[in-house]
Amino acid sequence: MKDVDSFPLGAATTLAELARDPHPRLALLRAHEPVSWLPELDGWLVTRRDLALDVMRDAATFTVDDPRFSTAQVVGPSMLSLDGDRHARHRGPFNAPFRPRAVRDGFAAFIERETDRLITGLEAAGAAELRRAFAGPLAVAVVTEALGLEGVTAATVLSWYDAIVQSVSEISSGRPEDPRGATAYAGLRTAVEATVAEPGRSSLLGAAAERLTLPEVASNAAVLMFGGIETTEAMIVNALLHLLRHPDQLALVKADDDLLDGAIEESLRLEPGAAVVDRYATRDTALGPATIRRGDRVTVSLTGANRDPAVFPDPDRFDVRRENARLQLAFAHGPHHCIAAHLARLETRIALQRLLARLPALRLDPDHPAAPHGLVFRKPPTLHVRW
């Protein structure tokens, strides 16, 4: 048993609070218990940026390779849930297409076409819910294109994604796995096998199958699929929400297109789409003020680390000209840094650029307030806008 009396703030922290509005509680923890034991989490929560980096950089001490790792429970072992040589073997076949130049050359034109197509379909209505009418479909289209999946529609991919993310979230919250996650993953595996088996057709999945088994290709495809959709959908809607909530910052971006990248990084800092990452201690070790025991769950709050005032002065302010916003950790760090970060940035930049140019009167719908929500994955459940 942990000495909960040594961590009174952690003992008083609820998962519901962290899902609803985590920032005041994370600020308290970061200042007074930067590594705190949370009984509701049955693990440690790390909220200070330097300590978060220590955990994510040291895969030998803080591993993802543990039976409790939520994603692996749904889709099996993958680059996300393995460390060391096994991690490198799973990740290696997928690296090349996600390097910066390959992303720009391979995906920019497709993203531009898909973005314009989606906006054209919405334009006449004068109002929309942009998470599911724009951000989600764009992310699904790009992931489907990147993987080269055969014989599936965007609606099917989106349904798989919803079910897998829901299962991962349930497990992370200590609840039983949603059985729809297993059903969705079975459908994805079938599509992966059909894609790999397609004669004379080159695809990322087919190339990966030359180095990995089919189940390994499928598990990594699932990780890329839900990671790519989740990351980009959250990036687009969170950035839009920040910009539309701060007309002064939106005016700066409209006046200087070069500030759009700063706006995206600052939005990632304030509300990373993936709020936390889990690790498991392989040995007894000291981490800041805490003594971690072998087998303990250690959850890094990327949300907490991204508002560390030691690195980001006035950390709760949205400032598109913040000089060090790119030090945010929304894509994690170390060996498990998000493989598709460059693609997510490109998608978000094109999406925002096109939306602001083509819908210059874009504004939040006052009849439908929006706020980020979620313990593991954070974004507004809906983002209603008018123009």
Side-chain angles (χ1 to χ4, degrees), residues 72-90:
Q73 290 186 52
V74 181
V75 305
S78 71
M79 68 176 87
L80 194 65
S81 59
L82 298 169
D83 276 314
D85 292 343
R86 295 172 71 206
H87 169 255
R89 177 175 165 272
H90 277 249

Side-chain angles (χ1 to χ4, degrees), residues 30 47 54 62 65 71 73 95 122 141 157 190 222 234 241 284 325 365 372:
R30 190 174 51 239
T47 49
D54 288 344
F62 301 102
D65 194 354
T71 308
Q73 290 186 52
N95 275 326
L122 298 172
V157 172
T190 299
L241 182 60
D284 293 357
D365 186 338

Side-chain angles (χ1 to χ4, degrees), residues 255-270:
D256 182 358
D257 188 60
D258 289 342
L259 289 176
L260 187 53
D261 290 324
I264 291 168
E265 296 304 312
E266 182 71 337
S267 177
L268 284 167
R269 186 186 69 79
L270 286 171

